[in-house]
Amino acid sequence: MTHPIDRRIFLAGLVGGAATVGLAACGAPPLTVPERAATGAAVPGATMRIARPAASAAETLDPASALSAYEYLGAIYNRVVRLDRNGETVPDLATEWSSNADATTWTFQLRPGVRFHDGRPLTARDVRYTFGHILDPDTGSPQAGPLALVDSMDAVDATTIRFNLSTPNAEFPSLLTAYQCYVIPEDSAGEIGRTGIGTGPFVLESYEPAGAGKVRANEDYFDGRPVLDAIEFFSIQDTSARVNALLARQVDLLSQTNLDNATARVVAGSPGTTVARVENAQWYTIPMLATSEEFSDPKMREAMKLAYDPRRVLATALQGTGTPGWDNPVPPQMAAFTEVEREYDPDKARALLKEIGREDFRTKIYTSAYEPNFTAIATSFAHQVREAGIRLDITNVSADSYYTQIWMAQPLMVSYWFTGRPIDQLLNQVFRTGSSYNESAWSNPQFDDLLDAARADTNDATRLAKYQDAQRLIVADGADLTPVFGDRLVGLSTNVVNYDEYGFEFDYLNIGLREER
């Protein structure tokens, strides 16, 4: 059932694959793919092969600072709590939690009897150490900012951990669901990036940064043994090479690979391979740098919003595989989502441009092959805003430098995030004044005050209302356009069963392979 990886097939298949994709895109009917992957009984003792993008040689298994090793992290670690598909916080290593009256102290009860892969029992001291490591400035964790309100932590007893906060936060447990928050053993920071010792459903067997690796089933996992015996990971940088490996049946699943519609059509129509849809998994943005000369004027940003219809972007760029965003960054499947009315009126946009002396406005919109839908979204957006008199020159740059030289540096570009962030983290991390992930550099004191008020509100209904008011402010004044939420189109073998994905993780316990037909 397992076939060796042959680099020659990758290279030989690139030209043919690209040509086929090009033909598929010409005059093709709307793409139809299964709503979800096949379900059913899996073969015992199987090894799954997953192709993932090659990262740098500095890639690490230290969750606090990892930037790309998502597949490994989800397999070998657990968090205190995690998010479910509706964005709700649910148990993982903790079974229950509670706060004091003003939400400044949070106490979590851990599962008894959980052990790390090296046999050490999980205790509250490990949790305390994990978050101390995240908060250590020398670690450089992206999650240090959202967790900066943690003033101190107490290991009350072996299975009780208490977080003392400097400011109230009724949504605090949701901040512990980030992928940087996987729990590691006490005093392990020096070697965890290589050893990957966690409590998760798989045990690390081998790992090479930017190379291959393997995990095997954890026979003593607290939530039951995984269906698979093992997972092999292969790092393949080029998207076309990953797709050709799947078509050649050399791998079973493509990870961190959102197929464009033309490629998805080829994969779905080829023998032995198919496409699974992960609904609204990609949050696409067009950040307008609010500190730039081009977009510092709120009326200019308003004109950009009025000038395009997200429904047309969805139809032309993604062929309908997703949901219109209407510039609200909260995905519609989240419990905190609220529908915000936003006009589409190119004539009003043109009048605004004339009012501010920008009726002949022209600038570049940057895109790259970093993500397969970027250029299609940029093209659709640029075509629409021409009706309001806005001229955007589509400028493609290298994928290697896109997020180091273009993101947060150029006035207009196409970007994206994975959905699956809790509402408090999403709004604070991407939109609060001064946040390191605030890609548009937007600043609105009213918005910041609203987030603070929401965090301090222990009433679920009124706290939700504040987060919904925050969404309305982003739509009205924000500098980030959200044209669409795209469905992630995942290529996989028809032998894969029970594949499910949310945020950065698979369903590691139930995914498996059935007998080849």
Side-chain angles (χ1 to χ4, degrees), residues 216-235:
R216 57 179 169 80
N218 180 359
E219 303 289 344
D220 299 318
Y221 187 54
F222 64 82
D223 205 21
R225 186 194 189 279
V227 171
L228 290 169
D229 270 9
I231 303 174
E232 295 177 345
F233 297 108
F234 300 94
S235 294

PDB file of all heavy atoms in Angstrom, residues 216-235:
ATOM      1  N   ARG A 216       4.298   7.890  14.904  1.00  0.00           N
ATOM      2  CA  ARG A 216       3.621   6.603  15.069  1.00  0.00           C
ATOM      3  C   ARG A 216       2.553   6.711  16.156  1.00  0.00           C
ATOM      4  O   ARG A 216       2.618   7.586  17.021  1.00  0.00           O
ATOM      5  CB  ARG A 216       4.621   5.503  15.423  1.00  0.00           C
ATOM      6  CG  ARG A 216       5.442   5.775  16.652  1.00  0.00           C
ATOM      7  CD  ARG A 216       6.411   4.648  16.970  1.00  0.00           C
ATOM      8  NE  ARG A 216       7.364   5.023  17.999  1.00  0.00           N
ATOM      9  CZ  ARG A 216       7.100   5.028  19.305  1.00  0.00           C
ATOM     10  NH1 ARG A 216       5.912   4.642  19.749  1.00  0.00           N
ATOM     11  NH2 ARG A 216       8.034   5.394  20.174  1.00  0.00           N
ATOM     12  N   ALA A 217       1.599   5.814  16.122  1.00  0.00           N
ATOM     13  CA  ALA A 217       0.458   5.879  17.026  1.00  0.00           C
ATOM     14  C   ALA A 217       0.890   5.787  18.486  1.00  0.00           C
ATOM     15  O   ALA A 217       1.767   4.998  18.843  1.00  0.00           O
ATOM     16  CB  ALA A 217      -0.524   4.763  16.703  1.00  0.00           C
ATOM     17  N   ASN A 218       0.278   6.620  19.313  1.00  0.00           N
ATOM     18  CA  ASN A 218       0.478   6.575  20.759  1.00  0.00           C
ATOM     19  C   ASN A 218      -0.489   5.542  21.328  1.00  0.00           C
ATOM     20  O   ASN A 218      -1.699   5.771  21.392  1.00  0.00           O
ATOM     21  CB  ASN A 218       0.205   7.963  21.350  1.00  0.00           C
ATOM     22  CG  ASN A 218       0.391   8.017  22.853  1.00  0.00           C
ATOM     23  OD1 ASN A 218       0.720   7.013  23.494  1.00  0.00           O
ATOM     24  ND2 ASN A 218       0.172   9.179  23.434  1.00  0.00           N
ATOM     25  N   GLU A 219       0.058   4.402  21.714  1.00  0.00           N
ATOM     26  CA  GLU A 219      -0.787   3.290  22.191  1.00  0.00           C
ATOM     27  C   GLU A 219      -1.518   3.642  23.480  1.00  0.00           C
ATOM     28  O   GLU A 219      -2.539   3.020  23.798  1.00  0.00           O
ATOM     29  CB  GLU A 219       0.081   2.038  22.407  1.00  0.00           C
ATOM     30  CG  GLU A 219       0.852   1.580  21.184  1.00  0.00           C
ATOM     31  CD  GLU A 219      -0.045   0.989  20.109  1.00  0.00           C
ATOM     32  OE1 GLU A 219      -1.219   0.661  20.432  1.00  0.00           O
ATOM     33  OE2 GLU A 219       0.425   0.862  18.966  1.00  0.00           O
ATOM     34  N   ASP A 220      -1.008   4.616  24.227  1.00  0.00           N
ATOM     35  CA  ASP A 220      -1.592   4.957  25.532  1.00  0.00           C
ATOM     36  C   ASP A 220      -2.286   6.315  25.525  1.00  0.00           C
ATOM     37  O   ASP A 220      -2.446   6.940  26.571  1.00  0.00           O
ATOM     38  CB  ASP A 220      -0.496   4.955  26.606  1.00  0.00           C
ATOM     39  CG  ASP A 220       0.157   3.598  26.757  1.00  0.00           C
ATOM     40  OD1 ASP A 220      -0.572   2.596  26.737  1.00  0.00           O
ATOM     41  OD2 ASP A 220       1.395   3.545  26.881  1.00  0.00           O
ATOM     42  N   TYR A 221      -2.713   6.769  24.358  1.00  0.00           N
ATOM     43  CA  TYR A 221      -3.342   8.084  24.288  1.00  0.00           C
ATOM     44  C   TYR A 221      -4.627   8.104  25.118  1.00  0.00           C
ATOM     45  O   TYR A 221      -5.429   7.164  25.072  1.00  0.00           O
ATOM     46  CB  TYR A 221      -3.644   8.441  22.839  1.00  0.00           C
ATOM     47  CG  TYR A 221      -4.152   9.845  22.658  1.00  0.00           C
ATOM     48  CD1 TYR A 221      -3.442  10.928  23.150  1.00  0.00           C
ATOM     49  CD2 TYR A 221      -5.355  10.093  21.997  1.00  0.00           C
ATOM     50  CE1 TYR A 221      -3.903  12.227  22.984  1.00  0.00           C
ATOM     51  CE2 TYR A 221      -5.822  11.386  21.819  1.00  0.00           C
ATOM     52  CZ  TYR A 221      -5.092  12.451  22.321  1.00  0.00           C
ATOM     53  OH  TYR A 221      -5.558  13.732  22.172  1.00  0.00           O
ATOM     54  N   PHE A 222      -4.813   9.177  25.872  1.00  0.00           N
ATOM     55  CA  PHE A 222      -5.918   9.228  26.838  1.00  0.00           C
ATOM     56  C   PHE A 222      -7.296   9.176  26.180  1.00  0.00           C
ATOM     57  O   PHE A 222      -8.274   8.790  26.799  1.00  0.00           O
ATOM     58  CB  PHE A 222      -5.805  10.473  27.716  1.00  0.00           C
ATOM     59  CG  PHE A 222      -5.945  11.790  27.000  1.00  0.00           C
ATOM     60  CD1 PHE A 222      -7.198  12.307  26.696  1.00  0.00           C
ATOM     61  CD2 PHE A 222      -4.819  12.522  26.647  1.00  0.00           C
ATOM     62  CE1 PHE A 222      -7.329  13.523  26.048  1.00  0.00           C
ATOM     63  CE2 PHE A 222      -4.942  13.742  25.996  1.00  0.00           C
ATOM     64  CZ  PHE A 222      -6.202  14.247  25.690  1.00  0.00           C
ATOM     65  N   ASP A 223      -7.373   9.553  24.909  1.00  0.00           N
ATOM     66  CA  ASP A 223      -8.665   9.571  24.227  1.00  0.00           C
ATOM     67  C   ASP A 223      -8.828   8.402  23.269  1.00  0.00           C
ATOM     68  O   ASP A 223      -9.703   8.404  22.421  1.00  0.00           O
ATOM     69  CB  ASP A 223      -8.823  10.895  23.466  1.00  0.00           C
ATOM     70  CG  ASP A 223     -10.275  11.272  23.247  1.00  0.00           C
ATOM     71  OD1 ASP A 223     -11.144  10.766  23.982  1.00  0.00           O
ATOM     72  OD2 ASP A 223     -10.552  12.081  22.335  1.00  0.00           O
ATOM     73  N   GLY A 224      -7.973   7.384  23.415  1.00  0.00           N
ATOM     74  CA  GLY A 224      -8.049   6.215  22.556  1.00  0.00           C
ATOM     75  C   GLY A 224      -6.984   6.213  21.482  1.00  0.00           C
ATOM     76  O   GLY A 224      -6.529   7.254  21.030  1.00  0.00           O
ATOM     77  N   ARG A 225      -6.589   5.025  21.051  1.00  0.00           N
ATOM     78  CA  ARG A 225      -5.535   4.888  20.045  1.00  0.00           C
ATOM     79  C   ARG A 225      -6.022   5.386  18.687  1.00  0.00           C
ATOM     80  O   ARG A 225      -7.160   5.150  18.291  1.00  0.00           O
ATOM     81  CB  ARG A 225      -5.127   3.420  19.925  1.00  0.00           C
ATOM     82  CG  ARG A 225      -3.944   3.172  19.014  1.00  0.00           C
ATOM     83  CD  ARG A 225      -3.843   1.684  18.686  1.00  0.00           C
ATOM     84  NE  ARG A 225      -2.610   1.349  17.984  1.00  0.00           N
ATOM     85  CZ  ARG A 225      -2.425   1.522  16.674  1.00  0.00           C
ATOM     86  NH1 ARG A 225      -3.371   2.048  15.925  1.00  0.00           N
ATOM     87  NH2 ARG A 225      -1.274   1.160  16.108  1.00  0.00           N
ATOM     88  N   PRO A 226      -5.157   6.077  17.921  1.00  0.00           N
ATOM     89  CA  PRO A 226      -5.543   6.487  16.558  1.00  0.00           C
ATOM     90  C   PRO A 226      -5.796   5.276  15.667  1.00  0.00           C
ATOM     91  O   PRO A 226      -5.312   4.170  15.922  1.00  0.00           O
ATOM     92  CB  PRO A 226      -4.325   7.274  16.058  1.00  0.00           C
ATOM     93  CG  PRO A 226      -3.553   7.635  17.271  1.00  0.00           C
ATOM     94  CD  PRO A 226      -3.816   6.567  18.279  1.00  0.00           C
ATOM     95  N   VAL A 227      -6.562   5.487  14.601  1.00  0.00           N
ATOM     96  CA  VAL A 227      -6.835   4.431  13.643  1.00  0.00           C
ATOM     97  C   VAL A 227      -5.565   4.066  12.870  1.00  0.00           C
ATOM     98  O   VAL A 227      -5.278   2.899  12.639  1.00  0.00           O
ATOM     99  CB  VAL A 227      -7.947   4.878  12.671  1.00  0.00           C
ATOM    100  CG1 VAL A 227      -8.097   3.894  11.527  1.00  0.00           C
ATOM    101  CG2 VAL A 227      -9.265   5.036  13.421  1.00  0.00           C
ATOM    102  N   LEU A 228      -4.798   5.078  12.456  1.00  0.00           N
ATOM    103  CA  LEU A 228      -3.564   4.829  11.713  1.00  0.00           C
ATOM    104  C   LEU A 228      -2.461   4.311  12.621  1.00  0.00           C
ATOM    105  O   LEU A 228      -2.390   4.683  13.799  1.00  0.00           O
ATOM    106  CB  LEU A 228      -3.083   6.114  11.044  1.00  0.00           C
ATOM    107  CG  LEU A 228      -3.903   6.656   9.880  1.00  0.00           C
ATOM    108  CD1 LEU A 228      -3.431   8.060   9.513  1.00  0.00           C
ATOM    109  CD2 LEU A 228      -3.822   5.734   8.665  1.00  0.00           C
ATOM    110  N   ASP A 229      -1.579   3.507  12.069  1.00  0.00           N
ATOM    111  CA  ASP A 229      -0.368   3.108  12.785  1.00  0.00           C
ATOM    112  C   ASP A 229       0.683   4.208  12.734  1.00  0.00           C
ATOM    113  O   ASP A 229       1.436   4.402  13.689  1.00  0.00           O
ATOM    114  CB  ASP A 229       0.223   1.833  12.173  1.00  0.00           C
ATOM    115  CG  ASP A 229      -0.333   0.572  12.824  1.00  0.00           C
ATOM    116  OD1 ASP A 229      -1.291   0.698  13.616  1.00  0.00           O
ATOM    117  OD2 ASP A 229       0.175  -0.522  12.524  1.00  0.00           O
ATOM    118  N   ALA A 230       0.746   4.899  11.599  1.00  0.00           N
ATOM    119  CA  ALA A 230       1.798   5.904  11.433  1.00  0.00           C
ATOM    120  C   ALA A 230       1.411   6.897  10.349  1.00  0.00           C
ATOM    121  O   ALA A 230       0.529   6.636   9.517  1.00  0.00           O
ATOM    122  CB  ALA A 230       3.130   5.229  11.082  1.00  0.00           C
ATOM    123  N   ILE A 231       2.085   8.047  10.371  1.00  0.00           N
ATOM    124  CA  ILE A 231       1.973   9.046   9.313  1.00  0.00           C
ATOM    125  C   ILE A 231       3.376   9.437   8.884  1.00  0.00           C
ATOM    126  O   ILE A 231       4.226   9.735   9.722  1.00  0.00           O
ATOM    127  CB  ILE A 231       1.228  10.312   9.782  1.00  0.00           C
ATOM    128  CG1 ILE A 231      -0.169   9.965  10.306  1.00  0.00           C
ATOM    129  CG2 ILE A 231       1.127  11.322   8.642  1.00  0.00           C
ATOM    130  CD1 ILE A 231      -0.891  11.151  10.920  1.00  0.00           C
ATOM    131  N   GLU A 232       3.634   9.396   7.575  1.00  0.00           N
ATOM    132  CA  GLU A 232       4.903   9.855   7.027  1.00  0.00           C
ATOM    133  C   GLU A 232       4.685  11.220   6.374  1.00  0.00           C
ATOM    134  O   GLU A 232       3.709  11.416   5.633  1.00  0.00           O
ATOM    135  CB  GLU A 232       5.432   8.864   5.986  1.00  0.00           C
ATOM    136  CG  GLU A 232       5.794   7.508   6.574  1.00  0.00           C
ATOM    137  CD  GLU A 232       6.242   6.527   5.512  1.00  0.00           C
ATOM    138  OE1 GLU A 232       5.996   6.803   4.302  1.00  0.00           O
ATOM    139  OE2 GLU A 232       6.817   5.485   5.862  1.00  0.00           O
ATOM    140  N   PHE A 233       5.575  12.161   6.663  1.00  0.00           N
ATOM    141  CA  PHE A 233       5.487  13.508   6.105  1.00  0.00           C
ATOM    142  C   PHE A 233       6.625  13.712   5.107  1.00  0.00           C
ATOM    143  O   PHE A 233       7.777  13.389   5.396  1.00  0.00           O
ATOM    144  CB  PHE A 233       5.591  14.556   7.212  1.00  0.00           C
ATOM    145  CG  PHE A 233       4.473  14.501   8.216  1.00  0.00           C
ATOM    146  CD1 PHE A 233       4.693  14.038   9.510  1.00  0.00           C
ATOM    147  CD2 PHE A 233       3.193  14.921   7.877  1.00  0.00           C
ATOM    148  CE1 PHE A 233       3.670  13.990  10.438  1.00  0.00           C
ATOM    149  CE2 PHE A 233       2.162  14.883   8.798  1.00  0.00           C
ATOM    150  CZ  PHE A 233       2.391  14.419  10.083  1.00  0.00           C
ATOM    151  N   PHE A 234       6.283  14.271   3.949  1.00  0.00           N
ATOM    152  CA  PHE A 234       7.267  14.583   2.927  1.00  0.00           C
ATOM    153  C   PHE A 234       7.189  16.072   2.603  1.00  0.00           C
ATOM    154  O   PHE A 234       6.107  16.585   2.312  1.00  0.00           O
ATOM    155  CB  PHE A 234       7.019  13.761   1.662  1.00  0.00           C
ATOM    156  CG  PHE A 234       7.090  12.278   1.900  1.00  0.00           C
ATOM    157  CD1 PHE A 234       5.946  11.552   2.177  1.00  0.00           C
ATOM    158  CD2 PHE A 234       8.306  11.618   1.864  1.00  0.00           C
ATOM    159  CE1 PHE A 234       6.006  10.184   2.418  1.00  0.00           C
ATOM    160  CE2 PHE A 234       8.381  10.254   2.104  1.00  0.00           C
ATOM    161  CZ  PHE A 234       7.236   9.536   2.385  1.00  0.00           C
ATOM    162  N   SER A 235       8.315  16.754   2.670  1.00  0.00           N
ATOM    163  CA  SER A 235       8.356  18.184   2.390  1.00  0.00           C
ATOM    164  C   SER A 235       8.651  18.401   0.916  1.00  0.00           C
ATOM    165  O   SER A 235       9.714  18.020   0.426  1.00  0.00           O
ATOM    166  CB  SER A 235       9.426  18.861   3.252  1.00  0.00           C
ATOM    167  OG  SER A 235       9.076  18.795   4.616  1.00  0.00           O
TER     168      SER A 235
END
